[in-house]
Amino acid sequence: MQGEKKVLYSAVQPTNNLTIGNYIGAVRNFVALQNEYDCIYAIANMHAITVRQNPAELRKNTLSLLALYIACGIDPQKCVLYLQSHVPAHAELAWVLNTFTYVGEMERMTQFKDKSAKHADNINMGLMDYPVLMAADILLYQTDVVPVGVDQRQHLEITRDIAIRFNNAYSPTFTVPEGVYTKVGAKINDLLDPSKKMSKSAENVNGAVFLSDDRDTIMRKFKRAVTDSEAAVRYDPENKPGVSNLLSIYSAFTGRDIPQCESAFAGCGYGQFKEAVGEAVADKLAPIQAEQAKLLADKEYLNGVLKNGAEAAARRAGRTLAKVYKKIGFYQL
Ligand code: TRP
């Protein structure tokens, strides 16, 4: 498999609950890509600790994300599916890449600035170094493409810069990766504040729909979603951010395009519209949640997946790291 197909890499942090935005923007696409590409998917627990985590929860969320990946249709036989901390090469390459990254570049990262403001009591080195670890993740596997949300664009750009910088300083070592930014439903916004991206750490939990929410919770959240006073289901993100966001969600969960969705709700009141959106989401999530629960009950299976994944990942990452160590002059035995 390796060699013919392009290498695709992505990762998700095992923090809190994933939202339907994470599902649409990330995990769902991972499934669609696994036949076409040589896919490597990670659970980025080393990134997660850049903001303080409760250890028991981090452990639990790790298995929960793994089960979710599989429940959504990611096939561990087809992809490399692994936990970042199981492959020491990530930390090792990140250290080397640190010496090819400037402090000023990291200080200018939007996400660093946002997170620093949000966690002002814990602006740790890891938070600042987050993009370098992400570069290490990607570059270790000679990745060609990285599907991510638009919020990760800056991190991908710096990954490319670091790769080019290293390649120029020595000789071609890293594949320079391309970012692929999901378009449809790439950005699902908060139900209560549609000017903001739907986030795992939303201020008001009612603004975010989590993949773990049951049907009643989902229906309640959509019922409360902010709309407008025009009473027309029309896609117009500028003037109708709430309704447009709901249309995006409906479109993403039903696979129908926006014009089709608009006509489906022509002349329909917002109450009925919101109920339909809630139902589409709940219908889609129910079987995934059932499968996830089933997988979580089989820890032996999940551990086996992680073990195989770590072995496969370490083998591939090790090759790149060895090349890097050689080029920079680390004495080899
Ligand atoms: N920073 C990414 C996010 O929060 C997660 C991530 C970590 C990642 N390493 C990566 C994504 C490598 C793509 C490639 O969404």
Side-chain angles (χ1 to χ4, degrees):
M1 186 159 79
Q2 223 175 304
E4 319 152 16
K5 292 178 177 175
K6 285 192 167 179
V7 177
L8 181 145
Y9 188 97
S10 201
V12 174
Q13 295 187 57
T15 42
N16 305 324
N17 283 318
L18 296 192
T19 69
I20 55 170
N22 300 120
Y23 173 68
I24 294 303
V27 184
R28 189 182 67 157
N29 299 315
F30 292 178
V31 179
L33 295 161
Q34 64 185 346
N35 293 319
E36 207 181 319
Y37 292 91
D38 173 13
C39 292
I40 305 174
Y41 297 128
I43 298 174
N45 59 341
M46 292 165 69
H47 279 99
I49 62 164
T50 56
V51 301
R52 208 56 75 214
Q53 301 291 330
N54 172 308
E57 266 171 37
L58 180 59
R59 237 185 315 270
K60 179 166 162 275
N61 290 334
T62 298
L63 280 189
S64 174
L65 177 57
L66 176 68
L68 180 77
Y69 267 143
I70 302 169
C72 287
I74 289 173
D75 181 352
Q77 306 286 348
K78 280 189 197 154
C79 311
V80 177
L81 184 55
Y82 74 104
L83 181 60
Q84 191 183 27
S85 65
H86 286 167
V87 181
H90 290 257
E92 294 170 306
L93 181 62
W95 179 253
V96 176
L97 297 183
N98 274 331
T99 67
F100 290 86
T101 310
Y102 298 102
V103 171
E105 291 177 310
M106 295 297 99
E107 282 172 336
R108 284 195 293 276
M109 291 282 128
T110 315
Q111 192 175 83
F112 172 65
K113 289 192 276 188
D114 290 350
K115 287 192 179 173
S116 298
K118 204 163 157 195
H119 306 277
D121 56 338
N122 184 21
I123 306 175
N124 62 71
M125 287 301 295
L127 191 64
M128 190 170 172
D129 207 27
Y130 182 113
V132 179
L133 179 60
M134 185 161 156
D137 295 346
I138 296 166
L139 299 179
L140 273 175
Y141 299 93
Q142 304 297 341
T143 301
D144 297 292
V145 286
V146 185
V148 275
V150 280
D151 62 319
Q152 297 297 313
R153 185 188 288 270
Q154 218 179 17
H155 293 161
L156 212 64
E157 290 303 319
I158 199 76
T159 298
R160 290 167 55 87
D161 291 346
I162 294 170
I164 293 167
R165 210 171 276 166
F166 191 96
N167 288 348
N168 288 342
Y170 300 92
S171 55
T173 308
F174 298 121
T175 302
V176 180
E178 300 283 342
V180 178
Y181 306 96
T182 35
K183 280 173 256 72
V184 183
K187 208 164 162 248
I188 285 188
N189 291 331
D190 192 277
L191 298 184
L192 298 176
D193 180 0
S195 69
K196 282 204 201 116
K197 184 182 156 188
M198 186 181 282
S199 162
K200 304 185 228 189
S201 46
E203 252 167 67
N204 186 333
V205 291
N206 289 317
V209 179
F210 297 105
L211 294 182
S212 54
D213 283 347
D214 60 22
R215 184 175 291 268
D216 287 350
T217 309
I218 294 171
M219 296 307 289
R220 179 171 48 76
K221 287 180 177 176
F222 278 102
K223 197 175 268 178
R224 290 191 193 168
V226 164
T227 50
D228 53 57
S229 56
E230 191 199 310
V233 180
R234 188 162 56 76
Y235 190 76
D236 178 356
E238 193 76 0
N239 300 304
K240 297 166 71 68
V243 169
S244 302
N245 186 40
L246 292 170
L247 272 168
S248 295
I249 295 171
Y250 189 78
S251 164
F253 275 84
T254 59
R256 296 197 234 168
D257 62 23
I258 296 281
Q260 275 178 312
C261 300
E262 283 176 324
S263 40
F265 296 106
C268 184
Y270 283 162
Q272 209 184 331
F273 170 53
K274 291 200 273 190
E275 204 172 301
V277 182
E279 250 151 33
V281 172
D283 287 350
K284 188 91 190 179
L285 294 188
I288 295 174
Q289 291 169 344
E291 182 61 20
Q292 187 191 22
K294 208 171 98 193
L295 289 161
L296 281 171
D298 191 352
K299 210 160 152 205
E300 211 174 311
Y301 168 73
L302 294 178
N303 284 345
V305 169
L306 287 177
K307 193 159 171 285
N308 291 337
E311 274 168 19
R315 208 177 317 118
R316 295 173 67 163
R319 285 201 285 270
T320 301
L321 187 68
K323 258 199 231 171
V324 168
Y325 276 9
K326 197 168 166 198
K327 295 202 187 192
I328 58 176
F330 281 2
Y331 180 73
Q332 324 250 308
L333 289 175

